[in-house]
Amino acid sequence: MVLVVLCTLAQVPLGTYGAVNMYMRSILVWWGPEGSTWIIPVFPGGTIVGLILTLNLLAATVKRLQFTWAKAGLWLVHLGLILLVSGEFVSAALQVDDRMAIEQGQTVNFVESYRDTELAIIDVTDPAFDEVFAVPTSLLAKASTVNLPNNPITLNVKRFFPNAALADRGPMEPPSIATAGVGPSVKIEERAVVSADNELNNTSVFVEPVAAGRSYGIWLVSIALGAPQSFIHEGRTYMMSIRPTRHYLPYALTLKKFSHDKYPGTDIPKNFSSLVQISNPSKGEARDVLIYMNQPLRYEGRTFYQASFGKGDTLSILQVVENPGWLLPYISCVLVTIGLLVHFAIMLRRSLSKRQEKVS
């Protein structure tokens, strides 16, 4: 109960994602005085509490319930409750929340992370295809040198910012460590990492591409810059940018039409829907599906929800959830329901038998 209250209150400054991770999906709850760099554990997190509750329920079930037909209903109820708690552990460990943004007429075969980012180095020399090297920014935060696989380019990481504010550099300000691209004209200041639902971190890095002993300068690459920057090595053109981490799919979705319906005579939204075509070459499949509010698309282990829109109602944003344990809560509810009905039937039969004995 304490965790639930703390987590609810923390959603104001931290957002849902940050509060749930801090209180419900952690082993310990940590606290540190404002302005200090040290932190101490002050309370067991949801993982510890859930594990103790599960073990307690399991031990009580084995010790107190006799393994007889008369207790069959109670066994099912307890099994359902244990499965319900286990489902949360599975979701916490394996659930992945991504998004897919598609404009009308566009075909997309990847989903993007809401919070994780990557440094993308893209060889765009061949007009027929792009060769993409994706470096997780979590690796940039740890490593000082990153080698691109099967490529002569090495990246020297000069400084990494999990979150930063960017602005134009004034003439009286000290020079940047960047020597190429737009970096020399940009002022950058580190900021605290944010986790609120409507806030994003401006992940940034100073990086130096090196190949065959030649440096191509120090570049400031940031998700806040938007457009990628490029350099040329031995006739090959490479684009650099930081973007949301992409997960590519073995199929693609094409947005044929996005609809934003309103109540007549008002601007109050009535319904949002996306008519998409699924194209899956491995199955020879190409079919239309309508995704709308409370009617998601479940396909190949992922669920696509209508989440948002933009660009004058021509851009549809789908929330994409991959959760291998999504069926566990449903199975749990079915087991608990059956268990209660079985137990009720057993008790009713026992009561009727006793009444019959008294009458006879």
Side-chain angles (χ1 to χ4, degrees):
M1 184 60 71
V2 172
L3 277 177
V4 172
V5 173
L6 292 176
C7 183
T8 303
L9 296 176
Q11 289 184 31
V12 176
L14 299 178
T16 304
Y17 175 81
V20 169
N21 279 342
M22 181 173 180
Y23 289 97
M24 308 308 291
R25 293 182 173 176
S26 60
I27 295 176
L28 295 170
V29 177
W30 299 81
W31 173 81
E34 189 172 351
S36 174
T37 57
W38 57 271
I39 56 176
I40 56 174
V42 294
F43 204 78
T47 300
I48 289 291
V49 173
L51 184 60
I52 292 174
L53 288 175
T54 304
L55 293 176
N56 181 59
L57 182 60
L58 188 61
T61 303
V62 173
K63 183 177 180 180
R64 297 185 179 183
L65 287 184
Q66 298 173 341
F67 197 68
T68 61
W69 283 110
K71 302 294 184 182
L74 293 179
W75 272 95
L76 287 174
V77 171
H78 283 73
L79 181 60
L81 293 175
I82 293 171
L83 198 61
L84 182 64
V85 179
S86 302
E88 173 55 25
F89 280 101
V90 173
S91 296
L94 302 178
Q95 179 172 318
V96 179
D97 288 346
D98 289 317
R99 70 169 195 167
M100 175 182 281
I102 329 175
E103 292 188 49
Q104 279 190 170
Q106 186 183 18
T107 299
V108 175
N109 67 339
F110 60 85
V111 294
E112 295 178 321
S113 172
Y114 278 104
R115 300 188 177 278
D116 296 333
T117 52
E118 62 187 12
L119 172 62
I121 310 293
I122 307 175
D123 183 347
V124 297
T125 309
D126 193 329
F129 67 92
D130 294 338
E131 187 175 12
V132 181
F133 302 92
V135 182
T137 50
S138 58
L139 178 60
L140 298 175
K142 300 175 182 176
S144 57
T145 302
V146 177
N147 296 312
L148 301 186
N150 302 317
N151 191 281
I153 294 176
T154 296
L155 303 174
N156 292 330
V157 181
K158 298 299 183 181
R159 190 173 177 189
F160 176 76
F161 300 84
N163 188 23
L166 274 63
D168 292 335
R169 180 175 297 279
M172 304 302 294
E173 293 178 295
S176 168
I177 66 172
T179 59
V182 301
S185 63
V186 177
K187 181 177 70 175
I188 183 167
E189 293 181 354
E190 188 164 12
R191 292 285 188 269
V193 174
V194 297
S195 61
D197 299 339
N198 58 349
E199 293 179 320
L200 292 175
N201 292 304
N202 286 327
T203 310
S204 309
V205 64
F206 285 106
V207 65
E208 177 188 28
V210 177
R214 177 184 175 184
S215 170
Y216 287 93
I218 300 175
W219 301 68
L220 170 62
V221 189
S222 172
I223 197 170
L225 292 178
Q229 303 174 81
S230 65
F231 66 94
I232 298 175
H233 169 65
E234 294 184 350
R236 306 198 71 83
T237 302
Y238 294 89
M239 309 290 288
M240 291 191 302
S241 65
I242 287 185
R243 66 187 188 187
T245 300
R246 291 184 179 183
H247 305 286
Y248 287 89
L249 309 173
Y251 52 88
L253 267 61
T254 302
L255 180 61
K256 302 181 75 173
K257 183 180 181 183
F258 175 76
S259 298
H260 176 184
D261 303 325
K262 302 175 183 176
Y263 287 98
T266 72
D267 289 330
I268 300 174
K270 180 180 180 182
N271 184 44
F272 302 99
S273 61
S274 297
L275 178 61
V276 300
Q277 182 181 68
I278 303 174
S279 301
N280 191 337
S282 64
K283 295 184 176 180
E285 185 178 17
R287 61 184 174 92
D288 292 349
V289 178
L290 183 64
I291 302 173
Y292 54 97
M293 296 168 65
N294 302 321
Q295 187 61 42
L297 161 68
R298 299 188 191 279
Y299 190 76
E300 296 276 315
R302 287 182 170 85
T303 305
F304 297 78
Y305 298 91
Q306 182 65 61
S308 186
F309 63 99
K311 291 190 176 181
D313 292 348
T314 62
L315 172 70
S316 177
I317 299 176
L318 305 174
Q319 181 186 10
V320 186
V321 179
E322 183 179 10
N323 181 10
W326 70 276
L327 268 177
L328 293 180
Y330 296 99
I331 297 174
S332 168
C333 291
V334 171
L335 284 176
V336 171
T337 302
I338 294 176
L340 290 174
L341 291 174
V342 169
H343 188 66
F344 174 76
I346 291 174
M347 298 304 294
L348 180 63
R349 182 183 178 186
R350 182 182 299 174
S351 177
L352 292 175
S353 297
K354 288 182 178 179
R355 181 176 296 182
Q356 186 64 33
E357 289 175 0
K358 288 182 180 180
V359 172
S360 59

